[in-house]
């Protein structure tokens, strides 16, 4: 039998990673090798610290900028849409009550409100995400707005001609506003408020990953300097000292800068956004109350509602409900106001509201006694009418809103400014710190040549 020959299997080729590990192990057996490894790790830690700091602060700065320049203005725009629609409804009912005596000022107020709502809807549409719930609410409002305008114009036309059907058209327009348009506007307002809260949630958390890396980098640099001192009896290594100084500056800048920014943003929410939300709600309640007060005279008892065992005028009942909401809103706004400029207009609005309720009671008494014209004069007349009180409430709430908007912008702007330059500064100082660590270790390596 012929002998057989066997061939030895080829040696298994090692991976580059395995070879690298062996090289590191070999290097770690000598002091120069250990120094090179230490230098590389120190540089990596400092650079990682700077990179994570830049990343986290860029995200927080962008969120803070959105709070100041995007989500809060959009939340206010959504509230303005609601207010403009409610005020247009109020102006329409006031004009209807005036009949052929409708003033140019009343007509202009209605047209301005409709134009404002349309313009704000365009702005909101341009800043909403396609397919989002906000976009759906905007689309719905854009569809309903011309339908509402058509109903109001029909009501006015029939009213000028003396046809009672005009009141039915106005009540139908009010129903469309109250049951479809204002709920959609309120939904948009809530969605924009949620986006604002989300931006606050992104802007205010502490950058714990960056802080942890900074502490770790400082600990590693301290250990390297202590090791250097024990082996050479040299107190300072200029490169490592420079790296430590750069890392310390970044860490302190990060902690202090973000703490100041966080305080500013929290202040802008507690003393700005919360007050703005309460004031917007109070202003909307006053507008709804005025609209229902007018519609009480338009309907003349045609709309009723059951309250317990009693049947009452539906619009007058809603007026009372709205005034209750207004009273609570004013009380909360006064509690949240932190200076006289914020408190005084709210107090004045409260006094106007109290007088409004007295005049409304007098107007209802006249209407219940069959004195419709006297009741009408007490509601839409000049001096001494409830309209005068409503205008004062609205004007004072507008003043309070303007003040709180300024408070918000100041505090949020301070918070954003506190983050200014931190991301870029951290990246630059981290690079300098890593270079210092490499140079410091390089100085020790030169002693072995």
């Amino acid at each position: 039998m012929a002998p057989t020959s066997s061939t030895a299997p080829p040696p298994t080729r090692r991976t580059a990673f395995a070879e690298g590990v062996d090289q590191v192990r070999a290097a770690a057996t000598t002091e120069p090798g250990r120094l090179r490894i230490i230098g590389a790790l120190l540089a990596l830690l400092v650079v990682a610290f700077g990179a994570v700091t830049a990343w986290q602060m860029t995200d927080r700065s962008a969120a803070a900028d959105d709070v100041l320049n995007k989500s809060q203005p959009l939340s206010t725009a959504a509230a303005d849409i609601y207010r403009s629609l409610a005020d247009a409804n109020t102006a329409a009912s006031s004009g209807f009550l005036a009949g052929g005596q409708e003033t140019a000022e009343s007509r202009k107020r209605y047209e301005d409100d409709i134009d404002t709502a349309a313009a704000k809807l365009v702005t909101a549409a341009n800043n909403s995400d396609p397919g989002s719930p906000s976009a759906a609410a905007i689309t719905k409002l854009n569809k309903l707005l011309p339908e509402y305008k058509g109903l109001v114009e029909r009501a006015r036309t029939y009213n000028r001609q003396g046809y009672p059907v005009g009141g039915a058209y106005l009540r139908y327009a009010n129903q469309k506003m109250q049951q479809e348009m204002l709920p959609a506007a309120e939904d948009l307002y809530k969605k924009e408020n949620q986006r604002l809260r989300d931006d606050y949630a992104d802007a205010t958390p502490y950058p714990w990953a960056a802080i942890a890396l900074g502490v770790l980098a400082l600990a590693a640099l301290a250990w390297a300097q202590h090791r250097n001192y024990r082996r050479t009896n040299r107190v300072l290594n200029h490169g490592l000292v420079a790296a430590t100084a750069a890392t310390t500056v970044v860490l302190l800048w990060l902690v202090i800068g973000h703490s100041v920014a966080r305080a500013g943003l929290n202040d802008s929410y507690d003393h700005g956004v919360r007050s703005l939300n309460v004031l917007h709600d109070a202003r909307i309640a006053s507008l709804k109350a005025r609209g229902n007060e007018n519609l009480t005279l338009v309907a003349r008892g045609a709309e009723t509602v059951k309250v317990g065992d009693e049947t009452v005028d539906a619009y007058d009942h809603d007026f009372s409900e709205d005034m209750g909401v207004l009273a609570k809103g004013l009380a909360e706004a006064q509690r949240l106001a932190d200076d006289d400029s914020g408190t005084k207009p709210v107090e004045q609005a409260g006094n106007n509201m109290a007088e409004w309720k007295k005049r409304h009671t007098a107007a209802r008494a006249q209407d219940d006694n069959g004195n419709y014209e006297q009741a009408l004069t007490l509601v839409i007349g000049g001096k001494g009418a409830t309209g005068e009180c409503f205008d004062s409430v609205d004007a004072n709430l507008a003043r309070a809103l303007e003040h709180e908007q300024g408070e918000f912008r100041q505090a949020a702007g301070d918070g954003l400014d506190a983050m200014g330059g931190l991301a870029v500064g951290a990246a630059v100082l981290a690079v300098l710190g890593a270079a210092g660590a490499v140079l410091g270790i390089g100085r020790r390596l030169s002693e072995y040549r």
Side-chain angles (χ1 to χ4, degrees):
M1 186 173 179
T4 60
S5 61
S6 61
T7 304
T12 303
R13 186 173 181 179
R14 305 184 65 211
T15 64
F17 176 78
E19 292 177 357
V21 170
D22 286 345
Q23 290 175 2
V24 170
R25 286 175 178 171
T29 60
T30 65
E31 181 61 14
R34 285 192 288 269
L35 286 173
R36 290 188 181 93
I37 294 171
I38 291 170
L41 290 175
L42 289 177
L44 181 63
L45 268 176
V46 174
V47 168
F49 169 47
V52 173
T53 297
W55 162 55
Q56 290 197 306
M57 293 314 299
T58 296
D59 283 352
R60 282 158 177 74
S61 182
D65 185 73
D66 283 345
V67 164
L68 179 61
N69 297 312
K70 189 174 181 181
S71 52
Q72 198 283 325
L74 284 175
S75 174
T76 296
D80 287 341
I81 291 170
Y82 194 115
R83 191 204 69 81
S84 297
L85 292 174
D87 194 50
N89 200 46
T90 298
S93 60
S94 296
F96 184 91
L97 286 173
Q101 304 301 317
E102 180 182 7
T103 64
E105 181 182 355
S106 175
R107 178 71 181 182
K108 184 177 184 302
R109 180 170 182 168
Y110 168 79
E111 296 291 350
D112 287 347
D113 284 331
I114 293 296
D115 290 344
T116 297
K120 295 287 184 180
L121 283 170
V122 171
T123 301
N126 290 336
N127 288 279
S128 64
D129 297 326
S132 65
S134 293
I138 293 167
T139 300
K140 182 177 182 179
L141 285 169
N142 277 323
K143 176 178 176 293
L144 291 172
L145 189 59
E147 295 178 7
Y148 172 80
K149 289 176 62 179
L151 290 170
V152 170
E153 291 309 317
R154 286 187 182 183
R156 279 184 168 141
T157 299
Y158 286 123
N159 189 44
R160 283 194 296 267
Q161 296 173 358
Y163 295 141
V165 72
Y169 271 107
L170 187 66
R171 291 196 299 275
Y172 185 35
N174 176 72
Q175 184 179 6
K176 184 175 287 290
M177 176 65 75
Q178 298 290 346
Q179 297 182 6
E180 297 182 66
M181 297 177 71
L182 291 183
E186 183 179 12
D187 185 55
L188 176 62
Y189 177 52
K190 289 180 178 179
K191 294 292 190 303
E192 295 301 340
N193 263 350
Q194 183 58 52
R195 178 153 67 162
L196 175 59
R197 287 192 291 270
D198 291 343
D199 285 337
Y200 269 108
D202 291 338
T204 54
Y206 274 106
W208 291 116
I211 292 173
L213 272 174
V215 172
L216 182 61
L218 280 179
L221 286 165
W223 172 82
Q225 289 174 88
H226 180 67
R227 181 181 187 278
N228 182 62
Y229 170 73
R230 290 185 61 187
R231 290 176 179 272
T232 65
N233 285 327
R234 295 172 185 166
V235 177
L236 298 176
N237 178 293
H238 294 112
L240 293 178
V241 169
T244 303
T247 304
T248 301
V249 168
V250 174
L251 185 59
L252 289 175
W253 189 2
L254 173 64
V255 173
I256 295 174
H258 188 270
S259 295
V260 172
R262 179 187 172 96
L265 289 169
N266 285 338
D267 187 59
S268 74
Y269 187 85
D270 292 336
H271 301 288
V273 173
R274 290 178 63 195
S275 293
L276 286 169
N277 288 342
V278 170
L279 288 168
H280 280 308
D281 291 343
R283 198 178 188 191
I284 288 166
S286 73
L287 287 162
K288 292 171 72 173
R290 178 59 177 171
N292 283 316
E293 182 177 46
N294 289 341
L295 286 165
T296 302
L297 294 176
V298 172
R300 305 184 74 170
E303 300 287 342
T304 59
V305 66
K306 198 83 170 174
V307 179
D309 296 330
E310 187 180 1
T311 299
V312 298
D313 186 284
Y315 295 117
D316 193 47
H317 173 264
D318 289 343
F319 170 85
S320 299
E321 294 288 318
D322 294 330
M323 292 299 273
V325 174
L326 174 59
K328 290 180 181 178
L330 291 176
E332 180 66 8
Q334 192 167 350
R335 186 185 70 81
L336 291 173
D338 52 1
D339 56 25
D340 287 343
S341 296
T343 302
K344 286 182 178 178
V346 176
E347 288 179 346
Q348 291 171 359
N351 295 334
N352 300 144
M353 181 194 69
E355 180 63 25
W356 183 2
K357 292 170 72 174
K358 290 179 184 177
R359 295 182 185 182
H360 175 81
T361 300
R364 294 308 311 140
Q366 290 291 341
D367 192 32
D368 290 340
N369 290 329
N371 301 321
Y372 178 79
E373 291 300 327
Q374 289 87 336
L376 188 63
T377 300
L378 286 172
V379 172
I380 66 169
K383 190 173 179 61
T386 60
E388 185 181 40
C389 298
F390 161 71
D391 289 339
S392 296
V393 169
D394 192 65
N396 280 307
L397 288 176
R399 283 175 52 209
L401 280 164
E402 183 179 0
H403 171 72
E404 295 300 338
Q405 186 70 31
E407 293 281 292
F408 161 79
R409 293 198 66 82
Q410 180 64 47
D414 290 343
L416 178 61
D417 290 343
M419 297 186 192
L422 210 165
V424 175
V428 171
L429 286 172
V431 171
L432 294 176
V438 171
L439 290 174
I441 295 298
R443 182 69 180 272
R444 283 283 291 120
L445 283 171
S446 65
E447 298 172 2
Y448 288 89
R449 298 191 182 104

